[in-house]
Short mmCIF file of all heavy atoms in Angstrom, two decimals:
data_model
loop_
_atom_site.label_atom_id
_atom_site.label_comp_id
_atom_site.label_asym_id
_atom_site.label_seq_id
_atom_site.Cartn_x
_atom_site.Cartn_y
_atom_site.Cartn_z
N MET A 622 1.55 -9.55 15.99
CA MET A 622 1.55 -9.55 14.49
C MET A 622 2.88 -8.91 14.04
O MET A 622 3.23 -7.77 14.42
CB MET A 622 0.37 -8.74 13.96
CG MET A 622 0.43 -8.50 12.43
SD MET A 622 0.44 -9.95 11.44
CE MET A 622 -1.22 -10.53 11.74
N LEU A 623 3.60 -9.69 13.28
CA LEU A 623 4.85 -9.22 12.59
C LEU A 623 4.82 -9.73 11.20
O LEU A 623 5.26 -10.83 10.91
CB LEU A 623 6.12 -9.80 13.40
CG LEU A 623 6.33 -9.20 14.78
CD1 LEU A 623 7.36 -9.99 15.56
CD2 LEU A 623 6.77 -7.76 14.69
N ARG A 624 4.33 -8.89 10.31
CA ARG A 624 4.01 -9.34 8.97
C ARG A 624 5.23 -9.67 8.14
O ARG A 624 6.24 -9.06 8.22
CB ARG A 624 3.18 -8.28 8.25
CG ARG A 624 2.68 -8.69 6.88
CD ARG A 624 1.86 -7.61 6.24
NE ARG A 624 0.66 -7.25 6.98
CZ ARG A 624 -0.44 -7.93 7.03
NH1 ARG A 624 -0.55 -9.11 6.40
NH2 ARG A 624 -1.48 -7.48 7.72
N TYR A 625 5.10 -10.76 7.32
CA TYR A 625 6.00 -11.13 6.31
C TYR A 625 5.29 -10.96 5.00
O TYR A 625 4.33 -11.69 4.69
CB TYR A 625 6.55 -12.57 6.45
CG TYR A 625 7.48 -13.02 5.39
CD1 TYR A 625 8.83 -12.77 5.57
CD2 TYR A 625 7.02 -13.63 4.20
CE1 TYR A 625 9.74 -13.16 4.52
CE2 TYR A 625 7.90 -14.00 3.22
CZ TYR A 625 9.27 -13.75 3.40
OH TYR A 625 10.10 -14.14 2.39
N ALA A 626 5.76 -10.07 4.10
CA ALA A 626 5.01 -9.64 2.92
C ALA A 626 5.00 -10.73 1.86
O ALA A 626 6.04 -11.24 1.49
CB ALA A 626 5.58 -8.33 2.44
N ILE A 627 3.80 -10.95 1.35
CA ILE A 627 3.67 -11.86 0.16
C ILE A 627 2.56 -11.35 -0.76
O ILE A 627 2.14 -12.03 -1.67
CB ILE A 627 3.28 -13.31 0.58
CG1 ILE A 627 2.11 -13.31 1.51
CG2 ILE A 627 4.49 -13.99 1.22
CD1 ILE A 627 1.52 -14.66 1.77
N HIS A 628 2.16 -10.07 -0.58
CA HIS A 628 1.13 -9.48 -1.50
C HIS A 628 1.57 -8.09 -1.93
O HIS A 628 2.55 -7.49 -1.37
CB HIS A 628 -0.19 -9.35 -0.73
CG HIS A 628 -0.88 -10.62 -0.41
ND1 HIS A 628 -1.64 -11.33 -1.32
CD2 HIS A 628 -0.89 -11.37 0.74
CE1 HIS A 628 -2.10 -12.41 -0.79
NE2 HIS A 628 -1.67 -12.45 0.44
N CYS A 629 0.91 -7.49 -2.89
CA CYS A 629 1.20 -6.16 -3.40
C CYS A 629 0.52 -5.06 -2.56
O CYS A 629 -0.62 -5.22 -2.02
CB CYS A 629 0.68 -6.08 -4.83
SG CYS A 629 1.66 -6.89 -6.11
N THR A 630 1.18 -3.99 -2.45
CA THR A 630 0.63 -2.73 -1.99
C THR A 630 0.01 -2.04 -3.22
O THR A 630 0.21 -2.40 -4.37
CB THR A 630 1.66 -1.81 -1.38
OG1 THR A 630 2.56 -1.43 -2.41
CG2 THR A 630 2.46 -2.49 -0.27
N GLN A 631 -0.75 -0.96 -2.96
CA GLN A 631 -1.30 -0.18 -4.07
C GLN A 631 -0.22 0.38 -4.90
O GLN A 631 -0.32 0.43 -6.17
CB GLN A 631 -2.20 0.98 -3.48
CG GLN A 631 -2.70 1.87 -4.59
CD GLN A 631 -3.74 2.89 -4.08
OE1 GLN A 631 -4.78 2.53 -3.66
NE2 GLN A 631 -3.38 4.18 -4.15
N GLU A 632 0.90 0.82 -4.30
CA GLU A 632 2.02 1.35 -5.10
C GLU A 632 2.54 0.36 -6.03
O GLU A 632 2.78 0.62 -7.22
CB GLU A 632 3.05 1.81 -4.07
CG GLU A 632 4.35 2.35 -4.71
CD GLU A 632 5.43 2.70 -3.66
OE1 GLU A 632 5.10 2.67 -2.45
OE2 GLU A 632 6.55 2.95 -4.08
N GLU A 633 2.72 -0.92 -5.54
CA GLU A 633 3.22 -1.95 -6.42
C GLU A 633 2.22 -2.38 -7.47
O GLU A 633 2.62 -2.70 -8.61
CB GLU A 633 3.58 -3.16 -5.53
CG GLU A 633 4.86 -2.92 -4.66
CD GLU A 633 5.04 -3.92 -3.58
OE1 GLU A 633 4.06 -4.41 -3.04
OE2 GLU A 633 6.19 -4.20 -3.21
N MET A 634 0.94 -2.41 -7.07
CA MET A 634 -0.10 -2.78 -8.03
C MET A 634 -0.13 -1.72 -9.21
O MET A 634 -0.25 -2.09 -10.39
CB MET A 634 -1.47 -2.80 -7.36
CG MET A 634 -2.60 -3.10 -8.19
SD MET A 634 -3.34 -1.66 -9.05
CE MET A 634 -3.92 -0.65 -7.64
N LEU A 635 0.00 -0.47 -8.87
CA LEU A 635 0.01 0.53 -9.93
C LEU A 635 1.23 0.44 -10.79
O LEU A 635 1.21 0.75 -11.96
CB LEU A 635 -0.09 1.95 -9.28
CG LEU A 635 -1.44 2.29 -8.69
CD1 LEU A 635 -1.38 3.64 -7.92
CD2 LEU A 635 -2.58 2.31 -9.74
N SER A 636 2.35 0.04 -10.25
CA SER A 636 3.54 -0.22 -11.02
C SER A 636 3.28 -1.30 -12.03
O SER A 636 3.74 -1.23 -13.21
CB SER A 636 4.74 -0.55 -10.10
OG SER A 636 5.94 -0.83 -10.87
N VAL A 637 2.62 -2.39 -11.61
CA VAL A 637 2.23 -3.50 -12.51
C VAL A 637 1.37 -2.90 -13.61
O VAL A 637 1.54 -3.17 -14.81
CB VAL A 637 1.57 -4.59 -11.77
CG1 VAL A 637 1.03 -5.63 -12.72
CG2 VAL A 637 2.57 -5.28 -10.80
N ALA A 638 0.32 -2.14 -13.21
CA ALA A 638 -0.63 -1.67 -14.16
C ALA A 638 0.01 -0.76 -15.23
O ALA A 638 -0.32 -0.76 -16.38
CB ALA A 638 -1.74 -0.89 -13.46
N ALA A 639 1.06 0.01 -14.79
CA ALA A 639 1.74 0.92 -15.68
C ALA A 639 2.49 0.19 -16.75
O ALA A 639 2.84 0.79 -17.82
CB ALA A 639 2.66 1.83 -14.89
N GLN A 640 2.80 -1.05 -16.59
CA GLN A 640 3.54 -1.81 -17.57
C GLN A 640 2.71 -2.58 -18.52
O GLN A 640 3.17 -3.36 -19.37
CB GLN A 640 4.45 -2.83 -16.88
CG GLN A 640 5.48 -2.18 -15.89
CD GLN A 640 6.23 -3.28 -15.13
OE1 GLN A 640 6.99 -4.05 -15.71
NE2 GLN A 640 6.08 -3.25 -13.85
N ASN A 641 1.36 -2.31 -18.48
CA ASN A 641 0.43 -3.01 -19.29
C ASN A 641 -0.63 -2.05 -19.85
O ASN A 641 -0.63 -0.84 -19.56
CB ASN A 641 -0.29 -4.12 -18.46
CG ASN A 641 0.64 -5.17 -17.99
OD1 ASN A 641 0.96 -6.07 -18.71
ND2 ASN A 641 1.17 -5.04 -16.81
N ASP A 642 -1.54 -2.60 -20.69
CA ASP A 642 -2.59 -1.78 -21.25
C ASP A 642 -3.92 -2.33 -20.73
O ASP A 642 -4.57 -3.18 -21.28
CB ASP A 642 -2.53 -1.94 -22.81
CG ASP A 642 -3.69 -1.23 -23.50
OD1 ASP A 642 -4.28 -0.30 -22.88
OD2 ASP A 642 -4.08 -1.66 -24.60
N PHE A 643 -4.32 -1.81 -19.56
CA PHE A 643 -5.57 -2.20 -18.90
C PHE A 643 -6.57 -1.09 -19.01
O PHE A 643 -6.31 0.02 -18.55
CB PHE A 643 -5.32 -2.53 -17.39
CG PHE A 643 -4.36 -3.67 -17.17
CD1 PHE A 643 -3.58 -3.66 -16.05
CD2 PHE A 643 -4.28 -4.72 -18.05
CE1 PHE A 643 -2.69 -4.71 -15.77
CE2 PHE A 643 -3.40 -5.78 -17.82
CZ PHE A 643 -2.58 -5.77 -16.67
N SER A 644 -7.78 -1.34 -19.60
CA SER A 644 -8.74 -0.33 -19.74
C SER A 644 -9.40 0.03 -18.41
O SER A 644 -9.77 1.20 -18.15
CB SER A 644 -9.86 -0.76 -20.74
OG SER A 644 -9.30 -1.08 -22.00
N ARG A 645 -9.54 -0.97 -17.57
CA ARG A 645 -10.10 -0.76 -16.19
C ARG A 645 -9.38 -1.65 -15.21
O ARG A 645 -9.02 -2.84 -15.51
CB ARG A 645 -11.60 -1.06 -16.19
CG ARG A 645 -12.28 -0.79 -14.88
CD ARG A 645 -13.68 -1.43 -14.85
NE ARG A 645 -14.60 -0.83 -15.75
CZ ARG A 645 -15.46 0.15 -15.45
NH1 ARG A 645 -15.50 0.63 -14.19
NH2 ARG A 645 -16.27 0.64 -16.32
#
């Protein structure tokens, strides 16, 4: 296994969430 990234990590997901107004 030698991963090639094409998905978000939690850190990246939270960065996306911080740029928006999500209640949950």
